[in-house]
Amino acid sequence: MSGLLGQPLKVVNAGVELFAAELERQQAEVARVEWRPPADGAEGALERLGARAGEIAAANDRAVAAMQAAEPRVVGIGRAGDLLPGLDERTLLHAGPPIDWAEMCGPLRGAIIGAAIHEGIAAVPEEAVRLAERGGLRFGPCHERGAVGPMAGVVSASMPVWVVENGASGNRAFCTLNEGLGKVLRYGAYDTQVLDRLAWMRDVLARVLAAALERLPEPLDLRALIAQALQMGDEGHNRNRAGTSLLLRTLLPALLTIEEPTADVVAAAEFISGNDHFFLNLAMAAGKATADAAAGTASSSIVTAMARNGTEFGVRLAGTGDRWFTGPAGVVDGLYLPGFGPEDANRDIGDSTITETIGIGGMAMAAAPAIVRFVGGSPSDAVAATLAMYDITWAESASYQLPTLGFRGTPLGIDAREVVHTGVLPTVNTGIAHKDPGVGQVGAGLVEPPMEAFVAATRALADTG
Amino acid sequence: MVTLPAHLVATPVLERLTPGPHDGVVLGAGATAAWVDLDGFVIAITTREVPLLPNAIALSAGSGALVGVDAGAGVGRAARLAPGRVGLGSVQVTWDPAAPPGWDPTVPVPSGATGQAVGARGAALLRALGAEGAADDHQHTPSLVRELGRIGLATAADPEGAAGLAWLFRGIRERDPEPAAAGARELLGRGPGLTPEGDDLLAAVAGTVAVLGPATGMGRSFLHSFLAALVDPAPERTTALSATLLELAAHGLLAEPAGRLLDLSPAGERAWPAALARLRRLGHGSGRAYATGIAAACLLGGATGDRAVPDRG
């Protein structure tokens, strides 16, 4: 020991910054290693998975390769009940993992009520509530029917949905059309204005867009649109202005030539033009089509779904089949619209974390520094958020690149093992819904998924070996 | 240079920056706010933890984002202000000047609002603050002041402060600016901090009277005299920041949660409990003082609102 201390020391400091700072103050050379203990309950699973590292690496390579190769394209718009398996008039799909009426939060209940009235199952809200309480309605996750939905994410049979096909693997994904901002069904509103808008979207907007899509020379290439949007200041989850603009530009020549009433075409164009988030639902469907291509890859620890129902946050892995691993949905930390604050907020909700699952959204915040004006923070925070994600992802996207990071690919393929190993949770930015149904969005911010969901998923994967 | 985007800019600030540029003076900076004096109007640049203020540029960034202001610009150093940009040494706050993210602190007053509704809101607020006794018995202003002291309002617990409050409240009840002016003389500058508690109470009362006074039957002449009595002496008697907030309050412009307490619409009726919780997070005690002042002013103003009381303005 005296020999060791008698010569200049080079120190490696792991964990406590105070030690490193004090040594540097005394002119010692210090190398810092970012380290923290694995998440509670994960050590045993990580040890067992460590013994299968080669097998899992090969599986992850396959899973992420499937994601990289995905070619999500819009092939049409159709009626949800005709396209989603088992979606009859009394079945309502929702965002997030499975949940019963009794556990549903305010915004989700409001959306269920609105959808029931929209379908004609109930005439008034009270009737919808009675039906729900007495088992007259069936509920299920959008994810389990090949769909995704933003915020409450309620899908009912007569609603129009985007049909997105993965040209590489043939699987399809579906998502409703974005209703717009303010008081909308996805935030739990169900007044006359909301219901009238849903009816118009079903009867007019869907028809116009379907006709326009048929006029396109080839199916809408969502991968290309998303890639361009990321280089124009979007991140694909809470900033979709560029994507919406690109969509409208792509559709415009077709809209001008379809044989639909001019008033309907104008109304459709104005509707899309007035909603900066219209492209979100397409980005989400693209995400679902991309992530589902990796689902079912045996032994893979790659996350294929992250979704919230306003009460619970659920995770699925490629190597654990259709199982959900859940934890409490988080409280969003963010900026509130004037008149609202944390007391008004519902917990995290929506399937829109499918964007983070495929390397956009919170993963790509470095592409959208302007987003901090809505979710809080500073532009450097946005860059830092993306950089942190490379520690928990398997690869970098070949399609989605970040100009602010020298055109580096976005972090792709969340590895559940690394989440529990490093303690670094995926960055999620999201809208904040009022906890009461019918009020709408009250802000936007950042939220952390529950670590217990990733721990449970990792342990389940270890059990598959 | 650190650039911080603005989330919202209060319209009174936008109005004073147009046209630009202007030179201001940095008065100070802390973890959650920095203050710039622009020709006697103090602009607060606040982080997202701070409730919206009527003189604020509210940042998207959180606590600590303004650390560079103290290090760079420093107290007394120049600040440069223009539409879309405020420069504070090594920190710059920006927004789109063509489409500023404006926030209007004006409180909407529903048509048909009555003195009874104003009084009922005051009573409800006092109960929420723990002053049930005051809510149920508003006839005797010294009792009201004692009750406020009982629930922890420092000004009410101090003999001179209590006397000032009693004069102020009497001015509201009797629709007489003279006792209100006497109360203001006692309360202005009373208490520690950037905005002394006495000033917070005066601003709360001024804002309440400006917004809801007409609904309780207060005439224009009285309103003008009453508000002038509360606000005019401020520049010589208290901090520049406090004087700014008083001036804005006299025009019915308050911090967002404070304004929400005055919203008598059905939406406001649902929202005020949450707004009260937000308001209590304002400053080290300012929020509580605002809430108490608003509650008392509503109670007293509403109590006489439906009776013919001579307007001695």
Side-chain angles (χ1 to χ4, degrees):
Chain A
M1 177 65 86
S2 62
L4 177 65
L5 296 178
Q7 55 189 292
L9 294 177
K10 293 182 181 178
V11 179
V12 175
N13 185 77
V16 182
E17 170 62 19
L18 178 64
F19 294 155
E22 182 57 29
L23 285 164
E24 278 184 334
R25 198 182 66 79
Q26 298 179 51
Q27 310 302 315
E29 187 179 336
V30 181
R32 286 171 170 79
V33 174
E34 289 287 335
W35 178 86
R36 67 191 82 177
D40 277 345
E43 275 194 64
L46 287 174
E47 199 172 325
R48 284 186 286 150
L49 292 171
R52 297 163 53 196
E55 169 199 341
I56 294 172
N60 287 351
D61 280 344
R62 290 193 300 275
V64 173
M67 287 185 174
Q68 296 271 37
E71 298 171 358
R73 304 170 190 156
V74 183
V75 296
I77 290 178
R79 183 177 173 276
D82 296 336
L83 294 165
L84 275 61
L87 186 60
D88 57 37
E89 278 68 26
R90 292 253 171 169
T91 300
L92 300 176
L93 306 184
H94 59 77
I99 189 168
D100 294 327
W101 173 258
E103 278 75 47
M104 287 184 186
C105 64
L108 181 50
R109 287 191 172 196
I112 293 288
I113 291 168
I117 298 174
H118 176 63
E119 292 300 323
I121 306 167
V124 293
E126 294 75 17
E127 190 180 345
V129 171
R130 275 198 301 275
L131 276 172
E133 288 174 342
R134 295 172 187 176
L137 297 174
R138 289 179 289 276
F139 306 114
C142 289
H143 263 290
E144 294 181 359
R145 312 287 176 110
V148 282
M151 300 312 285
V154 171
V155 181
S156 62
S158 74
M159 289 182 183
V161 291
W162 295 106
V163 183
V164 173
E165 185 174 278
N166 184 340
S169 51
N171 58 296
R172 285 189 167 189
F174 311 93
C175 189
T176 50
L177 280 60
N178 195 285
E179 299 160 82
L181 306 172
K183 283 197 173 186
V184 291
L185 188 78
R186 72 179 183 279
Y187 280 97
Y190 52 83
D191 62 16
T192 305
Q193 187 179 21
V194 173
L195 296 171
D196 286 347
R197 186 188 305 114
L198 287 174
W200 176 82
M201 292 173 71
R202 177 193 62 207
D203 299 334
V204 177
L205 180 65
R207 170 169 44 82
V208 169
L209 288 176
L213 289 173
E214 285 183 8
R215 284 295 175 100
L216 294 179
E218 54 191 17
L220 208 55
D221 182 345
L222 291 177
R223 189 172 71 179
L225 285 183
I226 293 170
Q228 289 176 61
L230 289 180
Q231 298 192 16
M232 294 169 65
D234 278 3
E235 36 75 272
H237 185 164
N238 271 292
R239 188 173 170 92
N240 288 284
R241 184 175 293 180
T244 300
S245 302
L246 289 169
L247 173 70
L248 199 53
R249 187 174 85 167
T250 305
L251 291 175
L252 182 60
L255 284 170
L256 293 174
T257 60
I258 57 175
E259 291 173 5
E260 294 288 335
T262 303
D264 291 348
V265 175
V266 170
E270 287 179 339
F271 183 81
I272 298 170
S273 179
N275 176 13
D276 277 346
H277 290 291
F278 192 78
F279 189 76
L280 168 64
N281 294 40
L282 282 167
M284 289 175 60
K288 177 66 171 169
T290 299
D292 274 1
T297 306
S299 303
S300 171
S301 58
I302 299 299
V303 172
T304 52
M306 294 191 294
R308 315 88 94 205
N309 57 32
T311 304
E312 285 196 308
F313 185 109
V315 167
R316 285 172 141 182
L317 301 188
T320 53
D322 294 334
R323 291 177 62 182
W324 287 100
F325 306 99
T326 62
V331 175
V332 183
D333 177 26
L335 289 173
Y336 287 85
L337 298 173
F340 300 102
E343 301 84 3
D344 303 298
N346 196 75
R347 286 182 171 263
D348 191 23
I349 186 169
D351 282 337
S352 51
T353 28
I354 193 65
T355 55
E356 281 78 15
T357 306
I358 64 155
I360 59 177
M363 296 287 166
M365 278 179 67
I371 199 172
V372 297
R373 286 191 48 201
F374 302 100
V375 302
S378 64
S380 57
D381 293 335
V383 174
T386 292
L387 290 175
M389 295 299 99
Y390 289 109
D391 286 345
I392 60 169
T393 46
W394 189 254
E396 299 181 10
S397 175
S399 301
Y400 305 134
Q401 296 172 342
L402 301 165
T404 50
L405 298 184
F407 293 92
R408 187 176 180 182
T410 62
L412 175 65
I414 299 166
D415 186 344
R417 297 174 304 164
E418 288 304 313
V419 173
V420 302
H421 180 216
T422 63
V424 176
L425 289 157
T427 294
V428 174
N429 63 51
T430 185
I432 305 173
H434 196 284
K435 62 187 178 186
D436 296 333
V439 179
Q441 183 173 4
V442 298
L446 300 177
V447 65
E448 282 197 335
M451 181 59 79
E452 48 259 63
F454 293 90
V455 171
T458 305
R459 291 169 75 167
L461 185 66
D463 289 341
T464 64
Chain B
M1 171 72 71
V2 173
T3 299
L4 300 172
H7 169 53
L8 290 165
V9 183
T11 49
V13 175
L14 290 174
E15 289 162 3
R16 282 165 175 78
L17 294 184
T18 306
H22 305 270
D23 291 319
V25 177
V26 176
L27 298 179
T32 58
W35 303 273
V36 176
D37 187 328
L38 178 62
D39 301 327
F41 182 90
V42 175
I43 296 171
I45 297 134
T46 57
T47 63
R48 69 182 198 216
E49 293 84 0
V50 180
L52 285 172
L53 300 173
N55 61 330
I57 301 171
L59 302 175
S60 307
S63 174
L66 293 164
V67 165
V69 174
D70 205 25
V75 174
R77 297 286 292 274
R80 192 83 169 151
L81 304 97
R85 187 181 305 274
V86 173
L88 306 165
S90 62
V91 174
Q92 179 173 253
V93 179
T94 64
W95 63 91
D96 181 356
W103 168 63
D104 184 357
T106 302
V107 179
V109 180
S111 59
T114 65
Q116 187 179 19
V118 174
R121 178 62 57 84
L125 286 170
L126 284 169
R127 288 191 193 94
L129 291 166
E132 292 84 0
D136 296 333
D137 176 16
H138 51 69
Q139 302 295 329
H140 191 227
T141 49
S143 301
L144 172 58
V145 175
R146 276 197 298 276
E147 183 72 353
L148 298 183
R150 184 188 69 75
I151 64 169
L153 190 69
T155 302
D158 171 78
E160 291 173 353
L165 275 176
W167 282 112
L168 177 65
F169 292 163
R170 182 178 155 190
I172 303 171
R173 273 201 85 236
E174 297 178 1
R175 309 282 172 103
D176 188 346
E178 284 191 26
R185 284 192 291 274
E186 276 301 329
L187 295 171
L188 269 170
R190 176 174 293 278
L194 281 172
T195 60
E197 187 179 86
D199 296 3
D200 294 334
L201 289 163
L202 286 169
V205 167
T208 304
V209 168
V211 174
L212 296 178
T216 68
M218 291 180 184
R220 188 173 296 182
S221 173
F222 167 75
L223 286 171
H224 178 79
S225 301
F226 180 91
L227 293 170
L230 266 55
V231 171
D232 287 355
E236 281 78 42
R237 296 280 308 276
T238 188
T239 67
L241 173 61
S242 208
T244 297
L245 292 171
L246 276 163
E247 176 68 32
L248 290 168
H251 288 88
L253 306 176
L254 295 166
E256 181 276 323
R260 185 63 67 151
L261 298 188
L262 302 177
D263 184 354
L264 299 183
S265 69
E269 183 60 34
R270 287 190 297 273
W272 75 255
L276 180 60
R278 288 200 302 284
L279 183 58
R280 286 170 120 159
R281 289 200 296 271
L282 180 63
H284 296 290
S286 285
R288 184 183 173 80
Y290 267 92
T292 308
I294 288 170
C298 282
L299 185 75
L300 294 166
T304 53
D306 294 322
R307 292 189 290 117
V309 175
D311 185 334
R312 282 175 269 193

